[in-house]
Amino acid sequence: MKETFYITKSGTLRRKDNNIVFENSDGTEVFLKSEKMDELYLFGEIDLNTRLLNFLSQMGITLNVFNYYGYYSGSYYPRESKVSGYLLVEQVKTQIDLPRRMKIAKEIVCSAARNIYRNLRYYNKREVDLSVAMSEIEYFISKIDEMENINSLMGIEGNIRKIYYDQWTKIIKQDVEFEKRVKRPPDNMVNTLISFLNSMMYTTVLSEIYKTQLNPTVSFLHEPGNKRFSLALDIAEIFKPLIVDRMIFSMLNKKQITKSHFIDKSRGLELTDVGLKILLGEYENRLKKVLKHKGLKREVSYRYLIRLECYKLMKSVIGEKRLRRF
Amino acid sequence: MKITGIMVYYYFVCKRKLWYFSKDITMEHNSELVEIGKILDEYSYNRKKKSILVDDIINIDFIEDWKIIHEIKKSKSIEEASIWQVKYYIYMLNKLGVEIEKAIIDYPLIKEREVIDLKEKDIVEMEKVLDEIKNIINSKNIPKDMVRKSICNKCAYYELCYV
């Protein structure tokens, strides 16, 4: 498995022989392991040239850029080499066939809801009573199959999420304000964490989609388009509770992240450099964590689990097998 | 659709793999074993003329005087498939008017080689195989039966098949 590299400092990134070198603003050079690199994240202000971009393409490395405020700006990814016209046609055919689209959309909502339920169940035993919320969510999960269109399905999803977010102040042991999910700009610590980690999740899912023949713009739960790779949003939905939310709970409860890691700016609450580094380190650890996959009888990482979800989607698109619940 | 040497090879390895491959659903980029194969191909027999592409169908590792073709393989684990792959090369080149004497499969890692020629009865068998390949790759549905052999474990398509 190849690795992800994160650069939070400012400086210059260039090709040197057959490797990538990062030169810090104070002149020190760091050699990055390009042979083992899969993705490169840039958070600082970095100079680079086309010679480097060509080299990244040659090595098949995706570059993800985040702006000064820590928001995702975009990616540079190597020329698409894994394309299948056949699969694209089948993906589109599945998308426009409402019963088939609904089947997949329901699987996504259901998988996400089950992961949400698991999070609540985990904290329910730990001195907080979340049983009311759990049974409410169970009720909504049981209704998923009855939904006949995307809008009503989205409604269920919204309900589940609302109930879920209402429990967060009970789960989080630090004193945090979190009444509801607020984006652009996030107004408090929890919202800042969700926004930042969700965009990390989005790029991770996108880079896993790129490793398959799926087209990232043709989505099933979300409407395709919206100027985003909406298939990445679909799949991220399943993994946010599993990776992002669990990470937020545990980091806040262990006080790995506190108020001191944020600065109040006119554009909302922002992460400090130290806070950013702590988050990236933990995020990477989570993605690398392995678990035993029962069906495959193999150890897989959480990152690879995302790819497997793409494979399942591919199979249901070519009509090979009904998508199984995650 | 043109039948390539790789397709003949895959026909003998796994029909599902053949079907996926024919739909451009490739997985080899995930596989370390494939990477090793590529490097082996790149660094073996450096003095010879390498990688001859004929009519987008066959990609011969190298050829001697247009008489003997060579195929480089890492191991003997799927020998039958390799044998039919080179038989297909001889068959196709003969059809195109190139008289090939024989083929040699080289196993540089185990320092062995194997000489293959195309017999009369092979031609009949070959044509049957090519018909079946056409049926598989033209089918809308993927062949259902899994090979369920030990080779699945090393296959780049393992996760896609079994997930």
Side-chain angles (χ1 to χ4, degrees):
Chain A
M1 209 74 186
K2 290 197 171 177
E3 291 174 20
T4 309
F5 288 75
Y6 303 88
I7 298 178
T8 55
K9 292 191 178 121
S10 294
T12 312
L13 205 55
R14 57 191 161 83
R15 174 179 183 174
K16 190 171 189 179
D17 303 322
N18 278 330
N19 205 355
I20 300 167
V21 177
F22 176 65
E23 195 186 315
N24 238 327
S25 32
D26 62 17
T28 50
E29 283 188 342
V30 185
F31 287 77
L32 308 175
K33 298 176 276 183
S34 62
E35 292 283 348
K36 289 200 76 180
M37 193 186 292
D38 187 29
E39 270 185 286
L40 185 56
Y41 281 79
L42 306 184
F43 290 94
E45 207 167 287
I46 284 154
D47 290 327
L48 46 85
N49 55 21
T50 52
R51 195 160 164 255
L52 179 85
L53 294 179
N54 282 324
F55 185 62
L56 292 176
S57 283
Q58 192 189 318
M59 302 300 287
I61 300 166
T62 305
L63 183 76
N64 299 304
V65 181
F66 284 69
N67 72 9
Y68 178 76
Y69 304 101
Y71 292 107
Y72 173 63
S73 321
S75 302
Y76 170 80
Y77 75 95
R79 183 174 56 84
E80 196 71 79
S81 60
K82 280 143 296 215
V83 289
S84 161
Y86 173 83
L87 193 79
L88 174 61
V89 170
E90 294 302 316
Q91 197 181 338
V92 174
K93 272 158 73 180
T94 310
Q95 210 285 333
I96 56 181
D97 180 339
L98 186 65
R100 286 186 69 194
R101 178 183 171 188
M102 282 302 289
K103 228 179 214 175
I104 294 175
K106 281 174 186 171
E107 293 296 338
I108 293 167
V109 173
C110 198
S111 302
R114 284 191 186 284
N115 286 337
I116 284 174
Y117 184 84
R118 275 188 203 127
N119 282 356
L120 293 180
R121 192 176 59 194
Y122 177 84
Y123 284 99
N124 187 41
K125 294 173 198 147
R126 284 164 179 72
E127 292 166 29
V128 277
D129 183 17
L130 305 169
S131 54
V132 179
M134 283 164 67
S135 57
E136 281 173 352
I137 286 175
E138 244 175 329
Y139 168 78
F140 282 117
I141 291 177
S142 72
K143 290 281 160 203
I144 290 174
D145 266 343
E146 293 166 25
M147 295 304 112
E148 278 165 5
N149 57 52
I150 295 288
N151 267 343
S152 55
L153 187 62
M154 282 291 214
I156 294 245
E157 203 236 337
N159 285 330
I160 292 174
R161 226 158 249 288
K162 169 90 176 53
I163 299 165
Y164 179 50
Y165 283 138
D166 282 346
Q167 314 308 311
W168 279 39
T169 44
K170 293 187 213 160
I171 295 172
I172 298 166
K173 282 186 237 146
Q174 266 192 63
D175 181 24
V176 290
E177 299 161 41
F178 179 63
E179 279 181 19
K180 59 180 192 318
R181 179 82 180 98
V182 176
K183 302 171 194 172
R184 286 180 231 118
D187 60 344
N188 60 44
M189 240 164 84
V190 175
N191 273 318
T192 303
L193 289 173
I194 300 176
S195 291
F196 175 71
L197 290 170
N198 279 356
S199 58
M200 289 300 294
M201 194 76 247
Y202 171 81
T203 56
T204 305
V205 171
L206 188 58
S207 71
E208 291 306 309
I209 293 176
Y210 279 141
K211 291 171 193 158
T212 73
Q213 284 79 14
L214 287 168
N215 185 298
T217 61
V218 182
S219 53
F220 302 93
L221 176 62
H222 295 83
E223 287 304 325
N226 274 330
K227 292 173 192 149
R228 301 191 73 178
F229 290 122
S230 42
L231 186 66
L233 298 176
D234 277 8
I235 296 174
E237 212 62 54
I238 301 170
F239 291 94
K240 279 187 220 160
L242 200 67
I243 295 170
V244 172
D245 301 351
R246 277 196 204 171
M247 194 179 143
I248 294 174
F249 298 149
S250 103
M251 291 189 90
L252 287 175
N253 284 348
K254 287 184 193 153
K255 309 243 179 334
Q256 276 171 288
I257 284 279
T258 59
K259 281 220 165 65
S260 66
H261 297 112
F262 297 86
I263 340 169
D264 209 347
K265 291 247 178 96
S266 57
R267 299 184 45 138
L269 211 58
E270 282 170 21
L271 275 164
T272 62
D273 286 353
V274 179
L276 177 69
K277 257 181 223 164
I278 294 172
L279 277 183
L280 292 176
E282 184 60 25
Y283 182 71
E284 191 53 28
N285 284 342
R286 297 248 158 186
L287 289 182
K288 275 192 193 148
K289 226 167 92 178
V290 292
L291 53 104
K292 182 96 181 168
H293 192 289
K294 284 191 196 115
L296 293 178
K297 299 187 183 75
R298 274 186 189 179
E299 294 230 308
V300 295
S301 65
Y302 276 83
R303 178 188 276 276
Y304 202 69
L305 220 47
I306 302 171
R307 180 105 58 91
L308 291 175
E309 208 54 36
C310 298
Y311 289 162
K312 283 197 243 169
L313 200 56
M314 279 167 71
K315 287 173 94 165
S316 65
V317 158
I318 58 179
E320 200 199 332
K321 195 157 126 191
R322 204 172 103 79
L323 209 60
R324 263 206 318 246
R325 300 240 147 114
F326 175 68
Chain B
M1 189 181 221
K2 283 176 181 170
I3 295 176
T4 65
I6 276 288
M7 287 182 183
V8 174
Y9 181 79
Y10 282 174
Y11 174 83
F12 286 96
V13 177
C14 170
K15 315 270 188 286
R16 288 173 64 87
K17 190 168 181 161
L18 169 63
W19 188 88
Y20 276 133
F21 180 81
S22 72
K23 306 287 187 235
D24 292 316
I25 298 171
T26 55
M27 291 287 144
E28 282 72 19
H29 53 276
N30 292 335
S31 166
E32 231 170 71
L33 290 172
V34 175
E35 196 90 346
I36 293 171
K38 267 191 196 145
I39 292 168
L40 185 68
D41 190 55
E42 213 172 294
Y43 289 95
S44 317
Y45 308 100
N46 263 331
R47 284 157 298 176
K48 310 279 185 190
K49 192 167 162 36
K50 296 274 293 283
S51 225
I52 321 285
L53 190 68
V54 181
D55 205 16
D56 281 335
I57 292 177
I58 39 192
N59 190 353
I60 297 168
D61 287 345
F62 69 89
I63 195 159
E64 288 178 50
D65 304 325
W66 290 99
K67 283 197 184 87
I68 304 168
I69 55 180
H70 286 256
E71 175 68 23
I72 306 164
K73 291 283 180 201
K74 188 168 110 339
S75 85
K76 279 188 163 181
S77 60
I78 328 173
E79 212 178 353
E80 198 198 1
S82 311
I83 291 171
W84 280 99
Q85 182 185 355
V86 293
K87 280 188 176 172
Y88 179 60
Y89 290 161
I90 306 175
Y91 170 87
M92 271 319 283
L93 287 170
N94 284 349
K95 266 192 145 184
L96 293 166
V98 185
E99 299 273 329
I100 297 294
E101 285 172 9
K102 60 185 177 188
I104 294 172
I105 307 176
D106 300 275
Y107 300 97
L109 285 189
I110 47 173
K111 296 193 164 57
E112 277 185 39
R113 53 172 31 189
E114 192 168 0
V115 181
I116 309 290
D117 45 23
L118 187 74
K119 299 186 184 70
E120 208 53 49
K121 66 170 179 24
D122 290 338
I123 296 175
V124 183
E125 182 69 22
M126 190 84 245
E127 273 159 6
K128 223 171 78 192
V129 166
L130 295 178
D131 273 344
E132 280 174 46
I133 290 176
K134 266 182 221 150
N135 283 339
I136 292 170
I137 65 181
N138 289 329
S139 158
K140 201 196 159 303
N141 299 317
I142 183 165
K144 284 277 179 264
D145 46 324
M146 303 272 196
V147 179
R148 283 246 176 231
K149 281 182 199 155
S150 59
I151 54 167
C152 287
N153 265 321
K154 285 185 177 173
C155 178
Y157 289 76
Y158 175 83
E159 281 92 350
L160 182 61
C161 266
Y162 289 98
V163 72

